[in-house]
Amino acid sequence: MLAEFSVRSINAIRPDIAAIVDEHIDEMLARGGPLDLVQAFSLPVPSRVICEILGVPYSDHTFFQETSQNLVQAESPEQAIESVGLLIAYFDELISACLKQPGAGMIGRIATEHVATDRLAKHELIMNALMLLIAGHETTASMITLGVITLLAHPEQLAELRGDEALVGPAVEELLRYLSIADIAGTRVAVADVEVGGITVKRGDSLVVSHSLANRDPSAFTDPDTFDIARGSRHHLAFGYGVHQCLGQNLARAELQIALPALFSRIPDLRLAVDRSDLVLRDGGTVQGVNELLITWGAEA
Ligand code: HEM
């Protein structure tokens, strides 16, 4: 695992994450509702955090937020290819600059320690940085937004969560299980014939593993379609399984554990400004979510 994503490194940046969260809530409170939670909070918070970890200038965020969104939610192969090309060119330039003069964050560190010393090819750092930037944006952003919707839909559990800090960790795990936003991110190729549920998967066959089906399996979770923050769902598969399970899971957990309680404690009467039945779910891409969530608070306008 990259040192920047270990439990120890992520714990060390928790105060920084909390400061970024607070700054965005301050801005939301100063603007007043109704506003779009996705643009005001869910997207910029993980975006700022991953930029700091990677050493990507946040001033370029409009470019890479839009381009990674065009990639993750691409409507055609051409759009996906064009977006990847733009991001590769962006990182190529950034890493070239780090090779001339030591740069910040993980990219700066790896460029100096590994690329400049020919231990790693430049294109490998480009592709890894690209994957981390994209993965660090849309996923946690979707979890924050859908997490807010889910908690507001379960007011008794939200009230319990507000009153008991010890419930934050279990509540985040249950949200991860229940929402399974990266449903089809787990892709595998069988290296040998294997029988799964009475069906033989042949060596060389490719498989898409649905995390939401696994996370709603009644033999693993009692009453799986019920949202229950007290169920203790730590063994869910929302981050995948095995050597390729999510590299950013410690970061994602920390962001959710900090962002969700902060939103509900600093804006105690936070509520949806639209009817839940009118919410439009994304109908494509690899990360489930909504592209906009109007919220409000305080007295009715
Ligand atoms: C709540 C947020 C997130 C969810 C639900 C999520 C989910 C997933 C899933 C299901 C996989 C596939 C695992 C497998 O194939 O077994 C994955 C892989 C990955 N994720 Fe995440 N992820 C999240 C956040 C992040 C963040 C914040 C980062 C990085 C900053 C990240 C980086 C990665 C990377 C690099 C991989 C590929 C790992 C590999 O192939 O070895 N993810 N994630």
Side-chain angles (χ1 to χ4, degrees):
M1 153 155 330
L2 285 162
E4 283 79 3
F5 295 94
S6 67
V7 173
R8 181 200 284 237
S9 300
I10 297 301
N11 279 342
I13 62 163
R14 274 178 174 262
D16 305 328
I17 299 175
I20 292 171
V21 162
D22 272 337
E23 202 182 294
H24 284 82
I25 297 177
D26 287 344
E27 281 167 22
M28 283 166 55
L29 289 169
R31 272 174 60 189
L35 52 72
D36 175 16
L37 183 76
V38 176
Q39 292 303 326
F41 188 81
S42 310
L43 203 51
V45 166
S47 180
R48 273 271 298 279
V49 174
I50 193 69
C51 282
E52 288 194 11
I53 294 176
L54 295 183
V56 170
Y58 188 67
S59 49
D60 295 335
H61 73 277
T62 310
F63 160 74
F64 51 71
Q65 272 174 16
E66 276 175 17
T67 317
S68 46
Q69 198 171 34
N70 288 342
L71 176 61
V72 175
Q73 296 178 44
E75 281 169 11
S76 66
E78 291 75 24
Q79 192 187 18
I81 291 165
E82 189 198 341
S83 310
V84 168
L86 290 170
L87 288 166
I88 287 177
Y90 175 81
F91 280 114
D92 197 338
E93 210 174 297
L94 185 69
I95 295 165
S96 295
C98 292
L99 290 172
K100 284 191 199 122
Q101 197 176 3
M106 189 201 89
I107 295 177
R109 176 180 73 76
I110 296 182
T112 309
E113 289 175 11
H114 299 275
V115 180
T117 55
D118 285 335
R119 285 196 285 169
L120 186 77
K122 186 182 178 195
H123 79 265
E124 287 185 89
L125 180 54
I126 293 176
M127 295 317 286
N128 278 295
L130 190 152
M131 181 168 67
L132 286 166
L133 186 79
I134 296 166
H137 264 93
E138 291 285 321
T139 47
T140 314
S142 251
M143 272 303 300
I144 294 174
T145 310
L146 296 184
V148 166
I149 297 170
T150 308
L151 288 168
L152 286 173
H154 297 86
E156 299 84 10
Q157 296 190 60
L158 176 57
E160 280 176 48
L161 181 62
R162 280 192 163 118
D164 185 356
E165 220 176 287
L167 280 175
V168 172
V172 165
E173 297 311 311
E174 176 64 352
L175 284 169
L176 287 161
R177 179 199 73 84
Y178 186 73
L179 296 167
S180 294
I181 52 143
D183 184 22
I184 52 163
T187 48
R188 298 290 189 270
V189 174
V191 292
D193 288 2
V194 59
E195 198 178 299
V196 184
I199 294 170
T200 304
V201 179
K202 291 244 177 310
R203 179 171 182 262
D205 280 355
S206 45
L207 295 172
V208 176
V209 185
S210 164
H211 299 120
S212 58
L213 287 182
N215 284 338
R216 301 273 182 122
D217 179 352
S219 69
F221 300 99
T222 312
D223 199 5
D225 294 332
T226 299
F227 177 70
D228 177 7
I229 61 175
R231 76 162 66 235
S233 49
R234 181 91 194 175
H235 62 295
H236 63 73
L237 296 181
F239 291 120
Y241 186 74
V243 285
H244 284 290
Q245 69 176 276
C246 181
L247 176 75
Q249 59 188 285
N250 298 322
L251 172 61
R253 284 193 164 103
E255 290 176 322
L256 294 170
Q257 288 167 3
I258 295 167
L260 289 169
L263 269 178
F264 287 110
S265 73
R266 293 202 51 205
I267 316 179
D269 58 344
L270 186 156
R271 58 187 185 273
L272 300 190
V274 279
D275 215 72
R276 218 154 65 89
S277 54
D278 290 337
L279 292 174
V280 183
L281 285 172
R282 273 183 211 157
D283 61 358
T286 49
V287 179
Q288 304 181 43
V290 292
N291 285 334
E292 182 185 77
L293 183 68
L294 281 184
I295 56 150
T296 195
W297 58 90
E300 296 292 338

